[in-house]
Amino acid sequence: MTLRDVVEIVQGTVLCGEEFLDREVKLGFASDLMSDVLTLLADDILLITGLSNNQAIRTAEMSDITQILFVRNKKPTKTMIDLAREQNITIIVTACSMFKSSGLLYQKGLQPIY
Amino acid sequence: MHVTFKVTAGDFSNAGKISSSIKTLLKQLNISSVDVKRIIVALYEAEVNVVAHSYGGEVVCDIEPHQAFIQVIDTGPGIPDLDLAMTEGWSTATAEVREMGFGAGMGLPNIRKNTDELSIQTQAGGHTHIMMRFYISEGTI
Ligand SMILES: Nc1ncnc2c1ncn2[C@@H]1O[C@H](COP(=O)(O)OP(=O)(O)OP(=O)(O)O)[C@@H](O)[C@H]1O
Ligand SMILES: [Mg+2]
């Protein structure tokens, strides 16, 4: 699916990286543990997380992840958004929980890694 | 090429800045994205460990044709039982560190997986010195 589809499925809001909404994403990974994310080998992952701090953006940067979905309306700070912009990372926020976001996206074909 | 950076203990808002700078550097040297990723994941884990668990330290990075040699050195408190620390899931992370999204006890095992050669010198009360060597296949350096 495209990031545009992701936004629609979780009724999300795009905070930065609107220009990349046509990007394809095949795999999803939901975690609040950054070292867990850092073990992933695949690229083009949608990171679904409730951890809203600089380290979430940094972890995405180090793992070559270019899209993050923040759940439960966790509002990223301006610093986080600036960091994400620099790295061409798209940030989407949704009111849905991690469980609901993952469920909806899985149902629509986003693949798990494990 | 030889570069060094200071790492400040407890400074989570800046944790990852060094890894980010070195990532930019490696990309400029046209090192393959697979090599860049494993080097940077290992370095970032080590950088965060210095921020999270130590009194502060430095990153010393030497990039040569066909290899990158990165050392992460801090001033203590050292790791009392390294074998235990290398075990997946073992962590002494504080609540503050966990709130930052770390403390799964996967950093050191993750470093081992991503390095070609890894050597760690540490002792309780002393410093921790991590030496990571990566063989790199491409690059213009
Ligand atoms: N530089 C260091 N100085 C002192 N102790 C360290 C250092 N690095 C790691 N440790 C110790 O080793 C343990 C395991 O480290 P490791 O990186 O594997 O896990 P973590 O940092 O606790 O969690 P994670 O890396 O998964 O976020 C740490 O909890 C800490 O007790
Ligand atoms: Mg760690």
Side-chain angles (χ1 to χ4, degrees):
Chain A
M1 63 180 70
T2 64
L3 292 184
R4 201 178 301 284
D5 298 328
V6 172
V7 174
E8 198 188 302
I9 293 165
V10 300
Q11 299 190 13
T13 314
V14 182
L15 297 189
C16 69
E18 300 81 359
E19 61 273 40
F20 307 118
L21 288 181
D22 290 324
R23 209 146 46 187
E24 276 285 331
V25 54
K26 290 198 178 69
L27 297 165
F29 191 76
S31 181
D32 288 345
L33 288 174
M34 294 301 110
S35 287
D36 208 7
V37 178
L38 287 162
T39 60
L40 305 176
L41 296 173
D43 298 330
D44 308 322
I45 298 166
L46 173 70
L47 172 60
I48 306 167
T49 186
L51 182 85
S52 183
N53 63 29
N54 290 1
Q55 297 317 311
I57 314 288
R58 286 295 189 198
T59 298
E61 173 191 357
M62 306 312 163
S63 319
D64 295 328
I65 291 174
T66 50
Q67 42 275 321
I68 309 176
L69 173 63
F70 288 108
V71 299
R72 294 273 286 146
N73 270 333
K74 297 273 164 55
K75 283 280 178 286
T77 61
K78 183 174 181 300
T79 314
M80 288 169 64
I81 294 173
D82 290 345
L83 261 180
R85 273 221 178 86
E86 264 173 45
Q87 304 298 331
N88 294 336
I89 292 171
T90 301
I91 295 185
I92 306 166
V93 229
T94 176
C96 299
S97 66
M98 184 129 115
F99 179 72
K100 186 170 177 186
S101 305
S102 303
L104 289 172
L105 291 164
Y106 180 81
Q107 197 175 36
K108 298 281 186 183
L110 193 67
Q111 294 293 309
I113 294 178
Y114 297 110
Chain B
M1 176 183 302
H2 176 85
V3 278
T4 63
F5 300 86
K6 280 252 160 313
V7 191
T8 311
D11 185 6
F12 271 102
S13 58
N14 285 312
K17 258 198 182 158
I18 297 168
S19 303
S20 179
S21 305
I22 295 178
K23 184 176 185 186
T24 307
L25 201 84
L26 295 176
K27 287 204 317 216
Q28 281 165 357
L29 296 170
N30 286 321
I31 292 165
S32 73
S33 57
V34 174
D35 282 337
V36 171
K37 185 162 171 179
R38 64 193 186 94
I39 293 170
I40 292 306
V41 164
L43 171 59
Y44 179 55
E45 291 282 17
E47 183 184 351
V48 171
N49 277 354
V50 173
V51 174
H53 307 299
S54 89
Y55 307 143
E58 60 175 345
V59 172
V60 182
C61 177
D62 289 281
I63 306 169
E64 290 161 22
H66 310 302
Q67 69 162 14
F69 182 56
I70 303 183
Q71 302 174 77
V72 182
I73 307 149
D74 66 52
T75 55
I79 304 174
D81 186 341
L82 185 60
D83 285 342
L84 195 57
M86 295 297 295
T87 313
E88 258 179 49
W90 167 260
S91 174
T92 63
T94 59
E96 189 202 355
V97 171
R98 286 175 200 277
E99 249 166 55
M100 291 297 143
F102 289 89
M106 289 167 77
L108 288 172
N110 214 0
I111 290 173
R112 183 168 47 199
K113 265 179 227 143
N114 283 290
T115 45
D116 291 312
E117 284 174 32
L118 173 66
S119 155
I120 302 178
Q121 290 171 0
T122 185
Q123 66 185 64
H127 61 219
T128 297
H129 187 156
I130 298 187
M131 287 161 273
M132 306 182 280
R133 198 182 298 278
F134 307 87
Y135 306 129
I136 45 189
S137 40
E138 298 166 42
T140 54
I141 185 171

